[in-house]
Amino acid sequence: MIDELKITAYRCKKCGRIHYPFHDRCLDCLERDFEEIKPEGDAKLLAYTEIYNLPWGFDVRSLKIGVVEFSNNIKAMGQIHIDDIKKLKTGMKLKAFWEPVRKFAGEDIFGLVLK
Ligand SMILES: [Zn+2]
């Protein structure tokens, strides 16, 4: 399941800092050489919120958004599919999927979905 996530992060070959999305130079040491890495392990919830004023293309009243950290330290933001935001707690483990998150010009746009 986790192999299907279309997420590539970039680990600085000099200091090890992980960048996602890509940066031209390392934000810590300015190195330009990166190793591509993929999310591994559990997705731990670091922060979350619910957004009500959505841009065009979302066919829902609100969205729950969260930032998770995978076991190998990659942090990523995704939609959380849960009926009630009160069930969320920071530090809890979520399952990560790569699924349609919105429509654009009639086509599905895929992104990180957490359940
Ligand atoms: Zn660096």
Side-chain angles (χ1 to χ4, degrees):
M1 161 190 65
I2 204 148
D3 299 329
E4 295 165 12
L5 299 179
K6 304 277 189 300
I7 290 174
T8 302
Y10 302 86
R11 183 190 285 133
C12 173
K13 285 191 174 173
K14 192 170 164 195
C15 75
R17 177 167 175 162
I18 293 170
H19 300 75
Y20 174 72
F22 180 76
H23 283 265
D24 225 26
R25 306 189 80 161
C26 176
L27 295 175
D28 279 340
C29 72
L30 304 180
E31 171 70 35
R32 290 178 184 273
D33 213 6
F34 297 96
E35 168 197 5
E36 293 190 0
I37 56 174
K38 292 287 195 181
E40 286 172 12
D42 291 321
K44 186 173 78 176
L45 187 61
L46 298 182
Y48 58 91
T49 190
E50 189 163 15
I51 301 171
Y52 290 91
N53 291 315
L54 299 173
W56 185 85
F58 290 99
D59 194 22
V60 291
R61 193 177 301 160
S62 72
L63 275 184
K64 289 129 190 129
I65 299 290
V67 176
V68 291
E69 181 173 20
F70 293 93
S71 299
N72 60 348
N73 303 119
I74 294 175
K75 291 177 189 159
M77 188 162 61
Q79 289 184 14
I80 305 173
H81 288 186
I82 191 169
D83 54 345
D84 186 352
I85 197 166
K86 292 187 188 116
K87 292 178 182 167
L88 295 175
K89 266 174 108 175
T90 53
M92 73 191 296
K93 302 276 198 285
L94 297 172
K95 288 197 158 94
F97 301 87
W98 196 255
E99 294 182 355
V101 290
R102 66 185 292 189
K103 290 231 183 238
F104 184 75
E107 287 185 27
D108 286 330
I109 308 295
F110 283 70
L112 180 61
V113 172
L114 304 154
K115 298 180 185 177

